Amino acid sequence: MKYFIDTANLDQIKEAHDLGILDGVTTNPSLMAKEGIKGNEAVYKHYKTICEIVDGGDVSAEVVYTDFKSIVEQGKQLAAIHKNIVVKVPMIPDGVKAIKWFTDNGIRTNCTLIFSAGQAMLAAKAGAAYVSPFIGRIDDSGWDGIELIQQIANIFAIQGIESQILAASIRSSLHIIKCAEAGANVCTCPLDSIMGLTKHPLTDIGLAKFMEDAKKFA
Ligand code: G3P
């Protein structure tokens, strides 16, 4: 499974990259707004900086339009920023139509806001490189996000579908482990959830003892 970070914060992207495990980045308009970036020019410049930090990993950049013509127009601009940009398109009829257009024109896409297997199947049929089920938001509404990952993984395996399942809206380190178990190809996570994977109280206790004992032969 690949590890993406789900943020537009440059410090957090650098920290995950420095850890040596980062495969890519996903952003969305809410994450961009959180960083206080305003205007298309500033947003596009920010995407370029992210691409340069990640150096080789895919960076999802989301369109902010809902009609076919505008999605295609902005998607072309986003794709022109850097070769690693993947155009993030919402799961709506015009989005599916745009994904097909991007596929036919050699532009890779990530279909976002997926909450059902049917949506994932349609996005994949249109040629999306990634389909993004929102695990945490499904859990928040009383359903099981991990079950959806399992279902999509099962369908994609049976049908030989090549789109990557990108588990998004991750809330915890446990979510990351469960997504790997359920068959996600990629997990896009907040930095805290990634760092949480390094932690265990017995590691801390064991290390304290080793460091203490090391003083005996220093
Ligand atoms: O990038 C899309 C997704 O990861 C959003 O997560 O936490 O806003 O549900 P969240």
Side-chain angles (χ1 to χ4, degrees), residues 14-208:
K14 279 180 198 146
E15 192 175 333
H17 180 256
D18 287 350
L19 199 60
I21 53 85
L22 194 64
D23 297 303
V25 179
T26 52
T27 60
N28 61 42
S30 308
L31 294 171
M32 275 289 182
K34 206 169 151 191
E35 297 309 308
I37 300 149
K38 287 196 175 75
N40 270 0
E41 206 177 309
V43 168
Y44 292 3
K45 194 165 162 257
H46 199 73
Y47 281 134
K48 191 161 187 285
T49 309
I50 293 174
C51 289
E52 283 160 2
I53 296 171
V54 181
D55 188 27
D58 284 347
V59 175
S60 288
E62 188 158 345
V63 297
V64 292
Y65 295 98
T66 54
D67 65 283
F68 172 75
K69 198 166 166 283
S70 307
I71 293 173
V72 165
E73 209 43 54
Q74 192 182 29
K76 284 194 282 185
Q77 291 170 14
L78 291 168
I81 296 171
H82 193 280
K83 62 178 170 36
N84 295 122
I85 290 281
V86 175
V87 179
K88 206 170 175 189
V89 181
M91 170 35 76
I92 52 175
D94 273 34
V96 174
K97 202 171 147 188
I99 290 169
K100 178 72 172 87
W101 188 93
F102 289 128
T103 306
D104 291 345
N105 287 276
I107 293 175
R108 292 180 308 140
T109 53
N110 171 1
C111 186
T112 189
L113 290 165
I114 288 197
F115 294 91
S116 75
Q119 291 178 320
M121 286 161 57
L122 207 58
K125 178 69 182 169
Y130 298 100
V131 299
S132 290
F134 276 30
I135 305 313
R137 293 191 196 185
I138 292 173
D139 287 2
D140 291 346
S141 60
W143 297 74
D144 189 338
I146 298 298
E147 266 180 22
L148 177 61
I149 297 288
Q150 277 164 348
Q151 188 186 21
I152 298 171
N154 202 18
I155 291 169
F156 281 17
I158 291 168
Q159 299 292 335
I161 293 171
E162 285 176 6
S163 300
Q164 302 263 294
I165 303 167
L166 192 163
S169 184
I170 295 298
R171 300 271 189 268
S172 66
S173 304
L174 183 60
H175 258 163
I176 302 176
I177 297 163
K178 292 282 181 192
C179 281
E181 221 173 18
N185 304 102
V186 186
C187 204
T188 188
C189 328
L191 182 62
D192 284 355
S193 304
I194 297 173
M195 297 314 283
L197 292 173
T198 67
K199 292 180 187 151
H200 196 285
L202 289 177
T203 304
D204 298 340
I205 293 166
L207 182 61

